[in-house]
């Protein structure tokens, strides 16, 4: 068990830590700061507020003492091989993930996985409690840790607790399948503020609260009766003007990216040169189409390949003129649904390339890997059209990254209406990925779009991404959290 040496006034809790443990060729290990948007957004707050980050180091059976990395205190939570199998691969990624993404894959319900989820959430809650100063603010992240807010409130009623759900929250008709639906709702309601990506997610959550708990909800506020909570729980508002309930806020805070960071890299001459080189390496096609995704069944990669393959088969796209670059980064490879997906996608790519490619030219340039950020930005700059065809996606940051990178106000974004980003990037070409004919039409429209229209659309999307970057996301959330948490007046 971890034994944090210090206590902090601001604590972030997430399944994964913002650092990766890298094993050097000589067998030694070092920590590498992972460049994710969440870390970039929270770094200034972390430094200002003496922050700590509680999470798993990404490998089983590692018991590491807390340490410091780039000014952030890192508090590792150990997971055994069994915990990884049952809590991470099982309940998080084979129960909750498919259930919360419209049951695109079948969620598996196993009581043993649930027991592990409870056990591991307890471990995270204990580590967070042991790391938190009296009256600290704790911000819990994502679906892997939905029980942590309640567990924390029970042991540490002095804390202000926020939760942010990075993935969708499903409609009640789907959510209600979950055998432990009430426990999860109760777990989340331990927070003072529960953030979602879209208004629709927040509404789905409030409806589940009404249906399962019968608590009154008004707009984004939910009144949680104090009698429903364990004794000793802090009442809000000395007992907020005698009120017999605690107010929880559930509303949308759409997450974003470090837009300036992307723009700065996009201006770098070596990255621009690399973008040109990529086009040359592809044989200088007239148009380059790009897809970038974790290899996940929610991303609609198969739908995209089908549409592209049919466009070639119909003779509406010439393979010499148009190349589709698909980057599929390896993900959750020990979960069966992900293994199957990889086989399906690679079969489709092989068929399309085998049927329509010729020596020296394949219609699809497929890469099962993850690239460093610099290479991703070169790809974004090289791409005339970016395809985001998710069947369901909390936000989809790739769409925002593409816009932030296009300092030339060029490039066309084709964006699924089932991705959270479509609420904001309204000047993208919005599509329903299930409608293959519509998708084909839209891909053609994107390829043929005149420069003036590309410019106006991209400018408007860039403005949105720069005006609502990830630091605005975190400051908006924390502002609401401080306001609602403090009402308790502890
Ligand atoms: C999504 C989730 C994150 C998760 C990430 C990568 O974006 O919202 O919580 O960390 O996928 O998945 P992984 O299972 O590798 O952490």
């Amino acid at each position: 068990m971890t034994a944090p040496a210090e206590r902090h006034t601001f604590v972030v809790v997430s399944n994964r830590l913002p650092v990766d443990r890298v094993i050097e060729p000589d067998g030694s290990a070092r920590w590498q700061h992972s460049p994710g948007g969440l870390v970039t957004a929270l770094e200034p707050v972390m430094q200002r507020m003496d922050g700590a980050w509680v999470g798993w180091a990404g490998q089983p059976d590692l018991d590491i003492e807390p340490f410091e990395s780039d000014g952030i205190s890192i508090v590792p939570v150990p997971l055994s091989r069994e915990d990884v199998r049952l809590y991470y691969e099982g309940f998080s990624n084979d129960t909750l993930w498919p259930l919360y993404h419209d049951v695109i894959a079948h969620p598996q319900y196993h009581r043993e996985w649930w027991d592990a989820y409870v056990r591991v959430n307890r471990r995270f809650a204990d580590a967070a409690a042991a790391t938190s100063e009296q009256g600290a603010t704790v911000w819990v992240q994502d679906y892997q840790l939905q029980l942590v807010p309640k567990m924390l409130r029970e042991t540490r009623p002095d804390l202000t607790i926020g939760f942010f759900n990075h993935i969708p929250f499903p409609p009640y008709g789907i959510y209600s399948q979950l055998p432990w639906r009430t426990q999860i709702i109760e777990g989340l309601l331990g927070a003072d503020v529960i953030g979602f990506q879209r208004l629709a997610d927040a509404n789905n959550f409030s409806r589940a609260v009404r249906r399962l708990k019968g608590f009154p909800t008004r707009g984004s506020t939910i009144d949680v009766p104090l009698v429903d909570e364990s004794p000793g729980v802090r009442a809000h508002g000395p007992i907020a003007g005698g009120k017999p309930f605690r107010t929880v806020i559930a509303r949308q805070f759409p997450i974003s990216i470090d837009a300036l960071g992307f723009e700065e890299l996009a201006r770098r001459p070596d990255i621009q040169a690399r973008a040109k080189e990529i086009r040359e390496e592809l044989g200088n096609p007239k148009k380059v189409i790009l897809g970038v995704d974790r290899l996940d069944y929610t991303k609609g990669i198969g739908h995209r390949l089908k549409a592209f393959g049919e466009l070639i088969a119909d003779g509406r796209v010439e393979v010499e003129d148009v190349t589709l670059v698909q980057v599929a980064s390896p993900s959750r490879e020990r979960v069966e649904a992900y293994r199957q997906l990889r086989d399906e996608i690679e079969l489709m790519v092989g068929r399309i390339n085998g049927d329509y490619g010729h020596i020296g030219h394949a219609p699809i340039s497929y890469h099962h890997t993850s690239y460093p950020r610099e290479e991703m930005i070169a790809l974004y700059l090289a791409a005339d059209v970016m395809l985001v065809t998710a069947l369901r996606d909390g936000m989809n940051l790739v769409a925002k990254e593409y816009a932030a990178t296009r300092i030339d106000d060029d490039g066309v974004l084709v964006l699924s209406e089932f991705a959270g980003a479509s609420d904001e990037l309204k000047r993208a070409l919005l599509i329903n990925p299930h409608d293959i004919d519509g998708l084909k039409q839209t891909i053609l429209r994107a390829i043929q779009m005149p420069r003036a229209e590309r410019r106006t659309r991209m400018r408007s999307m860039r403005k949105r991404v720069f005006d609502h970057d990830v630091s605005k996301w975190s400051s908006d959330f924390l502002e609401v959290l401080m306001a609602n948490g403090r009402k308790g007046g502890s």
Side-chain angles (χ1 to χ4, degrees):
M1 194 58 223
T2 48
E6 299 166 13
R7 290 184 173 241
H8 298 261
T9 52
F10 181 60
V11 177
V12 173
V13 193
S14 65
N15 178 54
R16 272 183 198 279
L17 283 169
V19 287
D20 291 322
R21 193 159 182 270
V22 186
I23 308 290
E24 300 288 11
D26 67 1
S28 65
R30 69 182 170 84
W31 293 96
Q32 187 176 289
H33 214 61
S34 66
L38 195 56
V39 193
T40 321
L42 296 178
E43 220 158 33
V45 198
M46 284 283 191
Q47 278 148 10
R48 201 172 59 240
M49 292 177 72
D50 173 31
W53 202 306
V54 175
W56 173 48
Q59 286 163 31
D61 294 325
L62 270 185
D63 200 351
I64 304 159
E65 287 300 306
F67 63 95
E68 182 107 352
S69 167
D70 284 342
I72 301 177
S73 297
I74 302 286
V75 182
V77 177
L79 293 188
S80 68
R81 228 163 255 290
E82 245 345 55
D83 294 332
V84 173
R85 188 170 69 78
L86 305 171
Y87 146 81
Y88 169 72
E89 291 161 359
F91 199 78
S92 296
N93 290 321
D94 218 4
T95 304
L96 293 173
W97 183 270
L99 182 75
Y100 281 31
H101 287 89
D102 285 358
V103 295
I104 296 165
H106 286 297
Q108 311 291 320
Y109 302 115
H110 296 299
R111 286 163 285 184
E112 201 193 4
W113 292 2
W114 164 253
D115 292 343
Y117 187 77
V118 177
R119 189 173 69 233
V120 172
N121 269 245
R122 170 75 60 200
R123 195 176 308 151
F124 275 84
D126 288 348
T131 307
S132 301
E133 192 65 79
Q134 182 70 21
T137 298
V138 181
W139 192 359
V140 184
Q141 310 287 330
D142 230 355
Y143 63 101
Q144 302 94 342
L145 301 175
Q146 293 172 99
L147 305 178
V148 171
K150 177 173 190 241
M151 290 172 170
L152 263 182
R153 182 168 293 282
E154 281 169 357
T155 52
R156 291 290 304 273
D158 57 296
L159 301 176
T160 294
I161 304 165
F163 180 90
F164 186 77
N165 196 51
H166 292 250
I167 68 172
F169 194 90
Y172 187 70
I174 290 179
Y175 180 74
S176 54
Q177 283 186 16
L178 186 65
W180 308 278
R181 58 196 187 186
T182 308
Q183 289 96 312
I184 296 262
I185 293 293
E186 288 172 352
L188 291 169
L189 286 174
D192 295 293
V193 176
I194 309 168
F196 296 93
Q197 301 282 23
R198 310 178 86 162
L199 174 63
D201 299 318
N203 287 343
N204 288 342
F205 175 74
S206 296
R207 173 137 193 265
V209 170
R210 288 193 300 275
R211 293 292 300 265
L212 293 167
K213 301 294 300 177
F215 299 163
T217 69
R218 273 163 292 112
S220 57
T221 64
I222 301 170
D223 294 335
V224 178
L226 294 170
V227 286
D228 202 72
E229 299 191 326
S230 327
V233 164
R234 174 179 64 170
H236 268 218
I239 308 207
K243 284 187 200 140
F245 56 81
R246 186 170 66 79
T247 299
V248 173
I249 294 186
R251 52 158 271 203
Q252 75 277 23
F253 295 88
I255 201 170
S256 193
I257 57 161
D258 167 29
L260 269 176
F262 276 84
E263 188 178 73
E264 266 168 34
L265 287 173
R267 290 196 190 286
R268 248 170 58 183
D270 58 324
I271 293 181
Q272 293 186 1
R274 175 64 191 142
K276 281 212 185 72
E277 194 179 74
I278 288 172
R279 291 190 74 109
E280 277 158 24
E281 285 172 3
L282 292 169
N284 277 321
K286 288 189 189 133
K287 296 286 176 181
V288 173
I289 304 180
L290 176 65
V292 172
D293 311 84
R294 256 186 330 98
L295 189 41
D296 194 296
Y297 47 78
T298 59
K299 303 291 184 183
I301 302 171
H303 293 64
R304 178 185 320 171
L305 295 177
K306 188 171 175 59
F308 184 66
E310 284 190 17
L311 282 171
I312 300 172
D314 299 346
R316 290 200 279 173
V317 157
E318 293 298 327
V319 290
E320 291 75 17
D321 295 344
V322 183
T323 301
L324 170 62
V325 177
Q326 176 65 52
V327 178
S329 46
S331 185
R332 305 172 190 166
E333 291 185 291
R334 289 155 52 98
V335 178
E336 185 53 31
Y338 287 76
R339 289 188 200 190
Q340 273 177 24
L341 174 78
R342 180 172 179 195
D343 287 349
E344 277 163 30
I345 296 300
E346 294 184 356
L347 179 71
M348 285 182 87
V349 171
R351 285 232 169 110
I352 295 171
N353 281 345
D355 284 347
Y356 307 112
H358 38 79
I359 305 251
H361 192 83
I364 304 172
S365 173
Y366 173 80
H367 310 272
H368 180 247
T369 186
S370 22
Y371 289 119
R373 181 172 287 186
E374 286 78 2
E375 181 74 356
M376 292 312 308
I377 291 179
L379 277 165
Y380 292 147
L381 287 172
D384 302 286
V385 176
M386 178 84 218
L387 287 186
V388 176
T389 57
L391 306 176
R392 182 55 75 193
D393 207 336
M395 175 51 65
N396 196 287
L397 293 179
V398 162
K400 292 188 173 180
E401 289 175 7
Y402 183 62
T405 299
R406 296 310 301 241
I407 48 180
D408 53 358
D409 290 332
D410 207 349
V412 182
L413 175 64
V414 174
L415 177 60
S416 166
E417 63 192 63
F418 300 110
S422 66
D423 281 356
E424 297 175 81
L425 304 180
K426 299 215 165 78
R427 301 306 306 277
L429 296 184
L430 296 182
I431 48 111
N432 167 7
H434 299 283
D435 172 11
I436 300 295
D437 284 336
L439 179 54
K440 286 163 70 180
Q441 270 315 116
T442 309
I443 292 174
L444 283 181
R445 185 174 165 208
I447 291 173
Q448 291 156 4
M449 188 183 284
R451 175 73 175 108
E453 186 181 350
R454 301 201 298 262
R455 186 182 295 117
T456 25
R457 285 178 180 274
M458 186 51 81
R459 273 198 186 148
S460 136
M461 291 190 281
R462 285 175 57 75
K463 181 163 177 9
R464 173 74 205 189
V465 174
F466 279 84
D467 289 349
H468 295 81
D469 68 358
V470 73
S471 65
K472 180 165 166 46
W473 168 77
S474 63
S475 57
D476 284 355
F477 184 94
L478 291 172
E479 202 176 295
V480 175
L481 178 60
M482 298 308 171
N484 196 49
R486 237 185 274 121
K487 270 200 305 200
S490 65

